[in-house]
Amino acid sequence: INKIGVLTSGGDSPGMNAAIRAVVRTCAYHNIECIGIYRGFQGMIEGDFKEMGPRSVNNIVNKGGTILKSARSKDFMHYEGRKKAFENLQNVGVNALVIIGGDGSFTGAEIFNKEFGFPIMGIPGTIDNDIYGTSHTLGYDTALNTVVECIDKIRDTASSHNRLFFVEVMGRDAGHIALNAGIGAGAEEILIPEEDLGLDRLIESLERSKKNGKTSSIVVVSEGDKTTGKNVFELKEYVEANLPEYDVRVSVLGHMQRGGSPSCFDRVLASRMGVKAVESLLEGKSNYMVGLLNDKMELTPLEQAIKGSCEIDKELLRVSDITSI
Ligand code: F6P
């Protein structure tokens, strides 16, 4: 391997730039070439490439987003698209790839590896923390801090007006952001897809809060939660109908959760993952994802990373119940 391509794919996450920087500089350290591929797999199909040396990644360790841009490529879902991408890589002499993205990107990467035998190493970049084989995905810690900061602010106004707020957070089908940020921000209740709280228990809990002397409340709702059968706006209506003493508002945090300067944790994680990804390729390994397990960099087969289930920690549910009393 003497030329590695690097790309970011799927939803961006804070720390992707720090990972690109680490990949580019690890290549330079080992005297091999590095090519940046723009707009993920779509740029691979269109041949949107740029040579990257160690000075091309100056001053990005602290920047949110991704300088290589990101996309969810429909063309890469078809064999013709993947074949074109393979030919483009061959034409410029790229003979291994580092793919920074989530499970959708890894699924595409896996197929590409199987079809063309192309050496690939994945770095888990998503705020959702929904990937098996790593305790933390890149950007998750920053997103948690962003959410906690937002809820702290919402709490100020909730408390001034004696209000109940439903705060919707991202996470796709996983409740990691909701559960952890909910505990960190002292939420009264947390609704996540992995645990069925039920509408009745939500109402009981809000009644209990009032009885216990709480004048305002925060309920964090994961966007993927289907357990109540209601979205945040319908939940507001339901509570207003059943507990008229509550003055209810809704706040959907949205894409702000994906932006911003990465936390120190994410910068260090990105740097470690970037180094490990390139050095693993140079050792001849392929079709793995780099992850953080017990504070060590470990490799998990891509297939397992995609298919393995990434369960929530039940202890956290209990901690939330006890501390929100
Ligand atoms: O996977 C990251 C994520 O931000 C999810 O939390 C969210 O459901 C989704 O991407 C939003 O995607 P888009 O940017 O396409 O709206």
Side-chain angles (χ1 to χ4, degrees):
I1 285 167
N2 57 7
K3 204 183 250 193
I4 291 180
V6 57
L7 62 86
T8 49
S9 167
D12 62 348
S13 68
M16 280 186 163
N17 279 328
I20 295 168
R21 170 179 175 269
V23 168
V24 170
R25 291 190 173 167
T26 311
C27 287
Y29 180 84
H30 289 285
N31 290 317
I32 60 168
E33 288 181 72
C34 188
I35 296 282
I37 301 165
Y38 284 94
R39 293 175 293 117
F41 295 129
Q42 195 57 35
M44 218 156 97
I45 294 169
E46 293 172 21
D48 199 356
F49 303 152
K50 187 188 162 207
E51 274 179 38
M52 299 189 88
R55 295 287 70 76
S56 66
V57 288
N58 286 351
N59 306 326
I60 64 164
V61 71
N62 57 337
K63 294 223 158 43
T66 159
I67 60 163
L68 289 177
K69 315 266 181 191
S70 194
R72 293 186 172 112
S73 171
K74 290 211 169 63
D75 295 341
F76 201 72
M77 291 175 181
H78 305 288
Y79 177 75
E80 278 66 38
R82 295 192 292 273
K83 186 159 170 279
K84 183 85 189 88
F86 175 65
E87 286 163 4
N88 286 339
L89 293 178
Q90 278 199 315
N91 287 342
V92 292
V94 169
N95 41 28
L97 281 175
V98 175
I99 290 169
I100 309 169
D103 55 354
S105 313
F106 291 165
T107 304
E110 245 260 301
I111 296 170
F112 191 68
N113 170 276
K114 282 217 174 92
E115 282 172 348
F116 303 101
F118 209 88
I120 282 174
M121 206 47 71
I123 292 182
T126 165
I127 62 167
D128 301 336
N129 207 36
D130 58 351
I131 296 184
Y132 178 84
T134 188
S135 61
H136 291 73
T137 54
L138 212 51
Y140 172 58
D141 180 69
T142 306
L144 285 182
N145 287 311
T146 301
V147 172
V148 164
E149 197 184 324
C150 291
I151 299 179
D152 285 350
K153 289 179 175 156
I154 291 171
R155 187 175 285 287
D156 288 344
T157 174
S159 147
S160 304
H161 289 266
N162 289 348
R163 278 175 174 161
L164 159 65
F165 267 83
F166 284 104
V167 182
E168 186 190 279
V169 301
M170 278 187 169
R172 204 178 283 275
D173 302 321
H176 300 285
I177 295 179
L179 185 54
N180 283 271
I183 291 174
E188 272 60 43
E189 280 299 346
I190 303 168
L191 304 184
I192 54 172
E194 297 88 342
E195 182 74 12
D196 190 354
L197 178 71
L199 272 177
D200 292 346
R201 273 176 56 205
L202 174 65
I203 296 292
E204 275 167 31
S205 160
L206 292 173
E207 277 172 336
R208 205 170 39 246
S209 287
K210 269 261 188 271
K211 254 193 230 131
N212 288 347
K214 290 197 179 187
T215 51
S216 63
S217 295
I218 306 282
V219 177
V220 175
V221 185
S222 176
E223 65 173 348
D225 178 59
K226 306 265 188 299
T227 60
T228 61
K230 297 191 185 304
N231 65 34
V232 272
F233 298 101
E234 292 162 345
L235 281 171
K236 173 185 186 306
E237 281 174 20
Y238 187 81
V239 169
E240 281 171 342
N242 286 277
L243 298 173
E245 66 272 30
Y246 268 106
D247 185 14
V248 192
R249 294 291 184 274
V250 169
S251 181
V252 177
L253 298 189
H255 286 78
M256 71 162 75
Q257 294 163 91
R258 287 229 302 252
S261 177
S263 64
C264 180
F265 180 90
D266 274 328
R267 296 181 199 191
V268 174
L269 183 64
S271 305
R272 292 176 76 183
M273 285 178 164
V275 171
K276 180 75 177 178
V278 171
E279 293 192 335
S280 300
L281 283 169
L282 294 181
E283 284 164 13
K285 300 193 176 97
S286 169
N287 225 17
Y288 286 98
M289 181 197 81
V290 176
L292 181 71
L293 292 172
N294 297 321
D295 205 32
K296 295 263 177 309
M297 283 292 105
E298 304 283 359
L299 299 182
T300 298
L302 265 188
E303 197 181 353
Q304 240 175 291
I306 300 159
K307 291 192 183 142
S309 84
C310 184
E311 285 165 15
I312 54 144
D313 187 345
K314 295 269 180 195
E315 185 220 336
L316 294 178
L317 294 170
R318 199 166 163 264
V319 168
S320 168
D321 281 349
I322 293 174
T323 54
S324 62
I325 203 163

